[in-house]
Amino acid sequence: GDRAKRDWFSDDNEAWGDAMQQIQRFSDRWNLWLLAQSAERTVSVRIDYLLERVSPGKARVWTGEVGELGYSTSGLDPVLLFDAVVDSLW
C-alpha cells in the first residue's frame, strides 16, 4: 500500500484514505449482493479495484472484477488452501 500511495497517489494521504473508504463501501455492497444471490455466505471471493487520484485529497475507484476462487495463493500451498475452502462447505 505504501508504495502504491507514493507512486500513484503522489503520497497524498487524504486521497488514499478517500480511495480506501470507497473500497470499503464497494466491498460491503458486493458482499451484500453475493448474499442476496444465495442465503449461504460466499466461501471465497476476489474483488479487484482500479484506483485513480483525481485531485488533491480526492480519488475515484472502480470495480475491475469480482471472481470466485480465481486468485493467487500468495505463496501458500495451493492444496492446503483449497482443501480449507472445500472443508468450509460442510
Side-chain angles (χ1 to χ4, degrees):
D2 288 337
R3 183 174 166 196
K5 182 177 65 167
R6 182 190 71 232
D7 293 351
W8 299 327
F9 273 62
S10 301
D11 234 0
D12 184 341
N13 288 322
E14 192 175 345
W16 187 256
D18 183 37
M20 295 304 109
Q21 288 177 351
Q22 290 180 55
I23 287 171
Q24 185 61 56
R25 285 193 305 271
F26 275 130
S27 296
D28 291 345
R29 289 176 183 167
W30 276 117
N31 284 318
L32 283 173
W33 180 83
L34 287 165
L35 189 56
Q37 304 311 303
S38 172
E40 295 183 21
R41 283 244 180 262
T42 302
V43 175
S44 178
V45 66
R46 183 190 86 206
I47 305 173
D48 295 341
Y49 294 105
L50 305 172
L51 288 66
E52 176 186 21
R53 179 180 178 257
V54 292
S55 64
K58 296 292 180 191
R60 185 174 296 139
V61 175
W62 298 266
T63 302
E65 179 181 353
V66 179
E68 201 171 359
L69 295 177
Y71 48 82
S72 168
T73 60
S74 298
L76 297 173
D77 177 359
V79 173
L80 180 68
L81 177 66
F82 290 110
D83 280 352
V85 169
V86 171
D87 289 346
S88 73
L89 298 172
W90 290 278

